[in-house]
Amino acid sequence: NGEVYRYYADGEWRVSGSGKSVAIVNPTTRQTQYRVQACTQEEVNKVMEVAKVAQKAWARTPLWKRAELLHKAAAILKEHKDPIAECLVKEIAKPAKDAISEVVRSGDLVSYTAEEGVRILGEGKLLVSDSFPGNERNKYCLSSKVPLGVVLAIPPFNYPVNLAVSKIGPALIAGNALVLKPPTQGAVAALHMVHCFHLAGFPKGLISCVTGKGSEIGDFLTMHPGVNCISFTGGDTGIAISKKAGMVPLQMELGGKDACIVLEDADLDLVAANIVKGGFSYSGQRCTAVKVVLIMESIADAMVEKVKAKLAKLKVGPPEDDSDITPVVTESSANFIEGLVMDANEKGATFCQEYRREGNLIWPLLLDHVRPDMRIAWEEPFGPVLPVIRINSVEEGIHHCNASNFGLQGCVFTKDINKAIMISDAMETGTVQINSAPARGPDHFPFQGLKDSGIGSQGITNSINMMTKVKSTVINLP
Ligand code: G3P
């Protein structure tokens, strides 16, 4: 209806002085669905100023009160699950049921964060000096965790709510202020989520949400001297951010090429179910999606048949109908995916289904007999297309996994637990799942990537720790 959603600063919903807006294109209709403010650098400066002031008071607010407000926000978030999920359906074509789960999971994440924060931040340490050679017991060191200051959170389009609260919750419980820059696709869902924190009654200026073009405010935000920590989830942009950011702690999750290694003794029904779920949920647009299957040649035919049968049953269509496969987020994503598929086709991969695309909607495709000279063997499609590479030894599978520039997660299917653990040890990834597809959750588990997949470790506990620093006071006795 032409209305432009306002951005959130100093506890108010504001119109940008730029007079400009950014369009959010519905991936299904490919029409403009919403518009958000195109914030200016000056507005970012203002937000940083008030955040700094609000943070000082927030850090002095008792921990139990901070937790109480987070619990309140979590409850409000869950109450608002329907309108927020509707935004996710329209902005990022997330299947309706998954959109609801994302919001509910987010509420649970915020509550758990409040509880975990109370536990881990409520503890400090006392050290005595005489344990170190040459010292008497005349020094007592009291240390506890204190906030960093202003945390900048930049979540990706695929979980604009959940991967926002996974940064907001830990930042706030630890006594930080929070500036959120949501992804363009997903910005309205994120603004609505921020509204839930607003309703919970957090102090003015403590949380802000600035929307706009990355080209205008992206670098400006990440290089801003007011920022004391950056938590980013997304693609290659994260590598650029890590090079430009100042001397502040960084938490980065930047995608993956999660390998699924299948041994000869694996339960093939379990493998097929996990390949379909792991490779194709939300149309493959998850960092933790299965992105390459490395399967022993002797069982490959049987597994491919099982996966084909399951893929044939997936519902392909609009997210409103709760389809399994929905349009990918943008036309350029669809074009990129198509480029990988065409390259594999030219180089002789076997298509298990006919390649089909209408607009941003790509039908699920399994590519068999993929070889290392094909781009899809290494690149991350972020779409419903999955390569299968046939291997003749486990070492070959491990070698392919480790030759990737990514190292987020991986999985191995076998009934032999000793082999599974040896393979897990050999895979250079942040996590290895045994007999299940990769996944970030449960959200309190550590979540980290090696190499180009990221910096630091997430998960509720790790994020709280990362958004604090240790402060010591030493009592010196005469
Ligand atoms: O793509 C984002 C990544 O964090 C995936 O999360 O829950 O789908 O494993 P999840």
Side-chain angles (χ1 to χ4, degrees), residues 105 158-159 163 233 253 285-288 382 439-441 447:
R105 173 182 179 183
N158 60 351
Y159 286 97
L163 282 170
T233 307
E253 192 233 306
Q285 297 173 109
R286 296 166 52 238
C287 326
T288 48
F382 237 65
R440 173 168 48 112
F447 180 51

Side-chain angles (χ1 to χ4, degrees), residues 368-440:
D368 196 2
H369 299 285
V370 165
R371 288 190 323 264
D373 63 324
M374 301 175 190
R375 285 176 57 203
I376 202 161
W378 306 104
E379 293 181 45
E380 186 184 20
F382 237 65
V385 300
L386 180 61
V388 176
I389 297 181
R390 295 171 175 234
I391 53 173
N392 291 303
S393 70
V394 174
E395 289 68 31
E396 218 181 297
I398 295 170
H399 180 264
H400 187 94
C401 167
N402 292 350
S404 170
N405 57 322
F406 289 117
L408 188 59
Q409 292 208 358
C411 58
V412 53
F413 285 85
T414 172
K415 293 189 186 110
D416 185 333
I417 188 67
N418 293 347
K419 267 193 198 163
I421 289 179
M422 283 192 308
I423 293 167
S424 170
D425 284 348
M427 287 169 81
E428 292 164 3
T429 62
T431 303
V432 175
Q433 306 267 353
I434 297 174
N435 291 325
S436 186
R440 173 168 48 112

Side-chain angles (χ1 to χ4, degrees), residues 168-190:
I168 297 172
L172 295 180
I173 193 67
N176 297 289
L178 192 286
V179 175
L180 174 68
K181 163 64 180 79
T184 297
Q185 305 287 140
V188 177

Side-chain angles (χ1 to χ4, degrees), residues 100-110 159 162 440-441 443:
I100 293 276
S101 321
E102 175 172 348
V103 186
V104 174
R105 173 182 179 183
S106 300
D108 292 338
L109 191 156
V110 173
Y159 286 97
N162 186 263
R440 173 168 48 112
D443 290 332

Side-chain angles (χ1 to χ4, degrees), residues 23 53 56 68 126 159 167 195 227 230 246 312 346 348 404 416 428 438 440:
V53 176
K56 297 265 183 271
E68 202 172 72
L126 168 66
Y159 286 97
K167 305 171 192 313
H195 185 55
V227 169
I230 303 174
E346 277 159 29
S404 170
D416 185 333
E428 292 164 3
R440 173 168 48 112

